[in-house]
Amino acid sequence: MKINEVEKRVEISKKSIRFYEQEGLLHPERNKENGYRDYSEEDVNILLKIKFLRKLSLPIEEIRRIQSKRLTLEDALKSLFFLIFSSLLPFLSADL
């Protein structure tokens, strides 16, 4: 499928899709006849996962590590939770 369709399905901009490609998170095939990117359902699913993880504020490098199986999603989320909790702890303990 073409980038316009992916943009509508995933609800992220073409610029973001290309950015994720440049970052090595997405690898669509190229149409041999015209050189256009040809996105698969797997590419759409990858973008949906990236979109979700970015909404959780996971950095690109951690998403890359998850994709390459150097980091589990569970460990990434634990780390994120710890970071959030640690930053809120002074505010929470001040009211106690």
Side-chain angles (χ1 to χ4, degrees):
M1 77 188 76
K2 292 184 181 172
I3 196 166
N4 288 335
E5 186 177 344
V6 175
E7 180 182 39
K8 289 177 188 170
R9 287 186 57 189
V10 181
E11 297 180 346
I12 60 174
S13 69
K14 288 180 232 177
K15 183 178 178 180
S16 292
I17 295 168
R18 290 186 183 115
F19 172 76
Y20 296 135
E21 286 179 47
Q22 290 173 349
E23 289 296 315
L25 300 176
L26 186 67
H27 308 283
E29 297 290 324
R30 290 277 184 170
N31 184 310
K32 292 176 183 162
E33 294 175 15
N34 57 25
Y36 292 168
R37 293 169 180 89
D38 187 14
Y39 297 91
S40 65
E41 285 299 320
E42 182 181 352
D43 292 324
V44 169
N45 289 332
I46 290 169
L47 284 168
L48 288 168
K49 289 174 189 173
I50 292 170
K51 179 181 173 183
F52 173 74
L53 295 172
R54 293 297 295 143
K55 284 190 181 277
L56 293 176
S57 299
L58 248 61
I60 295 294
E61 183 54 36
E62 287 200 16
I63 296 171
R64 186 178 291 112
R65 289 176 59 212
I66 291 168
Q67 281 188 337
S68 67
K69 303 202 184 324
R70 292 180 290 145
L71 178 68
T72 65
L73 179 57
E74 180 181 358
D75 286 342
L77 294 176
K78 282 179 185 177
S79 177
L80 180 62
F81 176 76
F82 179 77
L83 181 66
I84 293 168
F85 185 75
S86 297
S87 65
L88 291 176
L89 191 57
F91 299 105
L92 296 173
S93 60
D95 291 337
L96 296 177

